[in-house]
Amino acid sequence: MKITRRNFLQMLGITGAAAGGISHVWAIPDQWVEKLQYGPRIETWMVSTCSQCPGGCGIRVRSIDEIPVRIFGNPIAPVNSGFTCPMGEAGLELLYHPDRIRQPMRRKGKKGESSWEPISWEEALGQISKGFQGLLKKNQADRFGFIFGDRNTLLTHFAGDFVARTGSANFFPWRAPGINELGFWQAFEEFPPLAFDLNKTDYLLTFGTNLLEGPPSPVYFNRLYGKLKESRPRTGLKMVHVDARMSQAGKNATEWVQIRPGSMGVLALGMAYVILRDKNIDEEFIARYTQDFRGGKEDFPALVSRYYPPDKVSAITGVPPETLLRLAREFSSSKAPLALSGGVSDRSETALFTQWAVASLNALSRSFSVKGLWREPVPLPWGPTPVPSVNTRSGAFSLKPQLAPESDRPGHWASEELPHLRSAGKLPDLDMLMIAQVDPLYLSTDQKPWQEWLSRIPQVLQFATLIDDTSPYADLVLPTTTYLEQWDITLPVPNLPFSQLGLQQPIVPPLNGARPIGDVLLQLATETGVTLLPEKSKSYAGYVEARMKPIFASGKGTPYFEAVSLNFLEELRKLGWQVYSYPAFADFWRLLQEKGGWWDPGEYPEAEWKKRKKFTFPTVARFDALLKERVLLRYGQETQKGDTPLHTLLEAPSRKTETPDSFLLAPFTTLMNMTGEGASQPLLQEISGLIPRVYWKPWAEMHPERAKKLSLQDGDLIRVVSVKGSVTLSVKVVPTVSSEILAVPFGKGHKESGRYAKNIGTNPVALIDPLVDPLSGRTSWQSTRVRVEKVNK
Ligand code: SF4
């Protein structure tokens, strides 16, 4: 295509008058303006890896005269094979955002006020390193902490290593648990959770798991669902989605089972009841690889038969007894049943209870014995200098640290609860806190304790691309590069059945004076005498390159390559051939930059059950012990004692709605805005309400029966009132939600985050009663009762 000046500028969304630097969407750096207007129009392409979510998609960026103009999928990236989701496509709107921070900012007013003065990088770094040196001199490294939004890249490990090497244990990665993660961790202390191969199942039962609109990798699973749906007539695959709202996963399933929020674990145990009654269980797996299945009064069958008969389960879940019976029989009679839990089920007060119950359903019903269905993630060949594991404050979540599971995983899941953990005496007072890649003041359901905690810490330092809702509580904000301006490696995506490392490389040099977080940490480490890089790399880019050397030396895997049959590849390998020739590391490194990453095309091997700890079934005694040991529903409050077994407390959140105007609030995420950060990008705002056709404004989905009772019609305005406050929303009357919930999209209603997000819509999290799953520390989004009032226009 011949690129004329006119169509080039149109492509950028820039009119002639605006081509002085700022379009209505993109702010092109001043130094590019001349090139933009008169350049020779030379087209180039570079590959990298998207980091708008942790999904690991490879991207190809088209540039004209070295100015990136469009993001496409990398056709040879194994996760996405050339496809992207809307967030992947919108990345340039973040790169060129007109409100990007242009230099370090120091707070001028009181904490909580968005009032700043610009300072130089030298001044900012000088202030931080002085603070650091003071702490290290006084042996008070433990008064330093770092909250880090984990995007599944090497940078999380690097930042964790930075904290550990200063002598502090206060590194808090912030991320949601992966599919099955809570359940597998509880049942056999398995981390990362096992991968699974959807091609091998003939009965997929998803408990809230929406693989198509959120992590671990929505593009990968959208492609796979497409193939599975096409092959259904031949394979007979049945896909059942259990949820209170019919998400995309429900729409693409063969059956959607409506359920009351918070009660999915009860349904799983009700199904276990039927399966046990039918004696249709995997006797061999249970006998060899599990515990607490046979032990009399205290075993799993005793828990299930006493507390989860179908009539009781039906009353709690709202699922009719005949549906429950049918699901249990279909699942246990299929050849390759697979039950997954995650997504909304992780955002309830019963998150861990649910996942443990769902994992038990798999253990009971032959799922774990199906050849190739469950896969063993193979550790990467990082070599003798392995990537340091993230060091978190182990046991911070437990009332009795010695009884906490050996793993430090609860610390990961409970980052939202840090101010409460501080009040409960489980964290030291901090003098310096760094925050990166996460906006706690937007995401937290309990903002006041966050405001108070951050206000008490003398030095809060934030790495940010845009001023966000947390920034007013920072003392210094440091402008940070986007993923399109920095080096990094995206690590293998949890749950996917193969290994890959997606290379991130700068498509353009850092814009607007931003710096990569890795380089800033490296500089601080040098100035404070902390040894951070054994390889003596001078930059984070050097560190990334050094990390790939053992991968090259191992001879395993290959840079991404054009699709060929795996059998053909295997034959080549047997003959000693590699897809590419890279005799020296420099050749390998060059190929990675040309192709976009490394992968091991051989899929992970089958899970080997004899290698791991026995699968522990839940029992009454185990639930009791866990509820006593871990931080409880409300901090400091003792669990009730008496005749009621403690685990029945976990059923309480799924109680029925009581009055005609009362609903359970059910916030949900969309593919356009998984973490809420998408709101900063106008393309994503524009298409966020594509299905209900309401676009920039959020809406509330209500079942037609309830709407009729309240005399509401599509488009009417309602006031939604909770114990926390009220918001006004427009109603969408849809049959795709259970009649007991009011479903509201998450991701809008930012106080900051740039001009396209600021004060646009409402944040449903602000309505949420801040309740917590006592077993995992996950904040619940699914337990808030709201009242609805019609607003007269
Ligand atoms: S799924 Fe995630 S990684 Fe893939 S294109 Fe979308 S935002 Fe990027």
Side-chain angles (χ1 to χ4, degrees):
M1 168 187 168
K2 182 162 167 28
I3 300 157
T4 63
R5 176 175 183 271
R6 173 192 276 256
N7 63 25
F8 178 49
L9 296 181
Q10 277 171 347
M11 204 157 55
L12 297 176
I14 296 172
T15 61
I22 308 274
S23 80
H24 36 269
V25 176
W26 289 3
I28 305 293
D30 290 346
Q31 67 271 28
W32 291 356
V33 171
E34 199 171 323
K35 202 159 50 164
L36 185 67
Q37 292 182 313
Y38 307 109
R41 311 282 180 260
I42 294 168
E43 180 185 57
T44 49
W45 294 83
M46 265 183 92
V47 289
S48 187
T49 304
C50 178
S51 196
Q52 293 253 55
C53 94
C57 297
I59 51 173
R60 274 175 94 215
V61 182
R62 182 184 189 214
S63 297
I64 306 292
D65 298 338
E66 297 173 341
I67 301 172
V69 294
R70 176 95 195 259
I71 295 177
F72 297 83
N74 179 353
I76 61 169
V79 165
N80 57 315
S81 300
F83 295 91
T84 60
C85 77
M87 286 191 75
E89 287 231 13
L92 293 182
E93 294 190 351
L94 187 61
L95 178 74
Y96 296 133
H97 200 293
D99 299 325
R100 277 189 65 170
I101 308 166
R102 284 158 194 270
Q103 66 187 105
M105 315 276 271
R106 183 159 52 201
R107 192 168 49 76
K108 268 204 308 201
K110 291 192 198 122
K111 287 238 180 155
E113 292 173 3
S114 203
S115 168
W116 309 99
E117 59 176 349
I119 58 171
S120 69
W121 267 104
E122 289 60 42
E123 205 178 337
L125 290 175
Q127 182 179 326
I128 303 168
S129 75
K130 195 168 154 208
F132 250 128
Q133 277 162 359
L135 286 182
L136 297 184
K137 240 185 236 155
K138 289 187 270 173
N139 277 334
Q140 289 181 336
D142 216 27
R143 295 176 81 95
F144 163 60
F146 201 158
I147 301 173
F148 200 88
D150 182 3
R151 295 191 180 159
N152 195 35
T153 73
L154 201 56
L155 187 59
T156 303
H157 296 261
F158 185 80
D161 192 34
F162 172 80
V163 175
R165 285 172 195 250
T166 62
S168 166
N170 301 320
F171 184 64
F172 308 111
W174 182 303
R175 69 170 177 83
I179 308 300
N180 301 326
E181 185 174 324
L182 300 169
F184 279 21
W185 171 76
Q186 192 59 53
F188 43 27
E189 292 177 25
E190 183 75 25
F191 187 83
L194 289 169
F196 48 83
D197 184 353
L198 290 188
N199 290 301
K200 293 285 191 302
T201 180
D202 64 347
Y203 197 102
L204 176 65
L205 181 56
T206 43
F207 287 85
T209 316
N210 184 358
L211 295 170
L212 305 183
E213 292 179 281
S217 191
V219 173
Y220 174 82
F221 282 109
N222 269 287
R223 285 173 49 229
L224 193 49
Y225 261 56
K227 283 191 207 151
L228 293 173
K229 272 174 72 178
E230 266 174 33
S231 64
R232 252 185 226 152
R234 185 170 37 82
T235 60
L237 167 68
K238 180 147 191 190
M239 298 161 100
V240 178
H241 185 64
V242 179
D243 204 339
R245 176 178 178 269
M246 186 200 265
S247 60
Q248 285 299 320
K251 282 193 183 109
N252 285 279
T254 38
E255 182 177 351
W256 166 47
V257 175
Q258 289 185 43
I259 190 165
R260 208 160 278 149
S263 66
M264 292 184 196
V266 173
L267 177 67
L269 294 180
M271 288 176 64
Y273 178 102
V274 178
I275 294 166
L276 284 163
R277 273 293 169 93
D278 289 352
K279 298 197 172 61
N280 192 8
I281 59 173
D282 189 347
E283 286 284 3
E284 192 185 341
F285 181 87
I286 291 168
R288 292 176 68 177
Y289 303 119
T290 71
Q291 59 182 351
D292 287 1
F293 188 80
R294 293 201 171 87
K297 277 198 318 197
E298 280 297 336
D299 61 19
F300 177 68
L303 165 83
V304 168
S305 64
R306 212 175 307 152
Y307 297 102
Y308 299 101
D311 53 341
K312 184 184 169 196
V313 169
S314 181
I316 293 173
T317 60
V319 176
E322 57 279 11
T323 306
L324 162 64
L325 248 70
R326 178 174 54 78
L327 290 179
R329 288 185 174 142
E330 285 176 1
F331 186 77
S332 59
S333 304
S334 60
K335 288 199 191 88
L338 174 64
L340 304 177
S341 54
V344 287
S345 63
D346 289 341
R347 275 295 189 184
S348 77
E349 282 172 79
T350 58
L352 191 139
F353 171 81
T354 298
Q355 284 220 3
W356 199 0
V358 172
S360 304
L361 210 50
N362 285 315
L364 207 57
S365 308
R366 280 185 281 278
S367 182
F368 290 149
S369 299
V370 177
K371 229 174 157 18
L373 181 55
W374 295 92
R375 302 299 181 91
E376 194 88 53
V378 176
L380 285 159
W382 289 119
T385 53
V387 174
S389 63
V390 171
N391 180 359
T392 56
R393 173 162 286 276
S394 181
F397 177 59
S398 177
L399 284 178
K400 298 178 184 172
Q402 72 279 16
L403 292 177
E406 285 160 20
S407 158
D408 58 11
R409 299 303 154 198
H412 288 216
W413 303 324
S415 287
E416 277 179 66
E417 296 302 299
L418 287 173
H420 293 295
L421 293 171
R422 167 65 206 98
S423 315
K426 298 184 191 310
L427 291 180
D429 281 325
L430 298 181
D431 284 344
M432 183 187 281
L433 175 69
M434 288 184 178
I435 302 174
Q437 303 191 156
V438 62
D439 184 0
L441 265 287
Y442 176 74
L443 295 167
S444 170
T445 55
D446 206 2
Q447 298 197 351
K448 198 147 183 273
W450 271 96
Q451 292 165 352
E452 287 168 0
W453 185 50
L454 295 183
S455 296
R456 275 203 305 272
I457 299 173
Q459 283 209 73
V460 177
L461 319 165
Q462 189 194 23
F463 295 89
T465 305
L466 298 165
I467 293 289
D468 64 18
D469 294 15
T470 302
S471 307
Y473 293 89
D475 297 276
L476 263 184
V477 182
L478 304 172
T480 303
T481 45
T482 66
Y483 63 96
L484 296 165
E485 305 156 87
Q486 66 190 22
W487 291 91
D488 207 346
I489 291 175
T490 300
L491 301 173
V493 182
N495 302 119
L496 266 51
F498 58 85
S499 249
Q500 70 136 22
L501 294 168
L503 185 71
Q504 268 179 37
Q505 54 183 332
I507 305 299
V508 287
L511 303 186
N512 303 326
R515 294 192 185 180
I517 295 173
D519 286 323
V520 174
L521 295 181
L522 196 54
Q523 185 171 344
L524 285 173
T526 310
E527 284 175 13
T528 47
V530 171
T531 311
L532 194 52
L533 295 172
E535 295 82 9
K536 307 237 179 317
S537 308
K538 293 208 169 54
S539 64
Y540 186 69
Y543 173 78
V544 168
E545 185 180 345
R547 291 270 62 89
M548 291 309 293
K549 285 185 179 161
I551 305 280
F552 163 74
S554 74
K556 295 196 172 132
T558 164
Y560 296 165
F561 59 85
E562 286 72 13
V564 291
S565 125
L566 287 184
N567 291 342
F568 174 63
L569 185 74
E570 200 43 47
E571 289 307 311
L572 283 181
R573 286 168 125 192
K574 278 187 203 150
L575 294 170
W577 289 76
Q578 284 176 311
V579 178
Y580 300 115
S581 159
Y582 38 91
F585 175 74
D587 305 306
F588 176 74
W589 182 237
R590 181 183 44 75
L591 268 170
L592 290 184
Q593 292 169 66
E594 280 171 18
K595 305 294 175 187
W598 169 99
W599 72 308
D600 191 341
E603 293 196 335
Y604 289 150
E606 266 186 72
E608 266 197 74
W609 305 103
K610 62 175 186 277
K611 268 180 34 189
R612 54 180 41 83
K613 290 192 175 178
K614 285 195 163 181
F615 182 99
T616 304
F617 277 103
T619 62
V620 172
R622 283 198 183 273
F623 277 131
D624 273 14
L626 285 177
L627 279 159
K628 282 179 192 152
E629 287 161 17
R630 297 192 183 162
V631 173
L632 306 177
L633 275 171
R634 290 163 191 85
Y635 295 90
Q637 182 184 316
E638 288 295 324
T639 37
Q640 295 151 16
K641 297 219 167 140
D643 297 339
T644 320
L646 294 181
H647 75 274
T648 56
L649 287 175
L650 297 168
E651 296 160 10
S654 45
R655 58 205 169 264
K656 216 169 176 310
T657 50
E658 291 128 5
T659 56
D661 60 351
S662 134
F663 292 81
L664 274 168
L665 187 70
F668 61 91
T669 52
T670 66
L671 188 57
M672 325 314 172
N673 195 353
M674 294 174 236
T675 53
E677 287 173 35
S680 65
Q681 296 151 51
L683 171 69
L684 300 174
Q685 287 275 24
E686 192 62 47
I687 58 177
S688 66
L690 207 53
I691 294 163
R693 298 175 188 279
V694 281
Y695 311 106
W696 287 66
K697 295 268 163 65
W699 62 96
E701 296 178 6
M702 187 185 289
H703 191 272
E705 273 172 24
R706 301 296 303 280
K708 196 170 167 197
K709 278 191 189 145
L710 293 167
S711 306
L712 289 168
Q713 290 182 347
D714 218 45
D716 281 350
L717 288 182
I718 51 168
R719 185 168 302 110
V720 184
V721 185
S722 79
V723 286
K724 286 276 294 297
S726 68
V727 299
T728 301
L729 296 166
S730 143
V731 173
K732 288 309 294 180
V733 180
V734 288
T736 47
V737 290
S738 114
S739 60
E740 298 184 36
I741 67 165
L742 190 73
V744 180
F746 164 77
K748 295 171 193 276
H750 294 258
K751 295 193 182 95
E752 296 285 348
S753 291
R755 66 187 70 180
Y756 305 113
K758 188 170 176 169
N759 299 327
I760 303 283
T762 41
N763 181 2
V765 170
L767 285 176
I768 291 174
D769 193 3
L771 301 176
V772 171
D773 171 22
L775 298 185
S776 69
R778 294 286 292 153
T779 302
S780 174
W781 279 13
Q782 307 287 327
S783 324
T784 302
R785 203 162 289 282
V786 291
R787 193 165 43 77
V788 162
E789 298 163 2
K790 186 169 178 176
V791 175
N792 293 320
K793 289 182 194 170

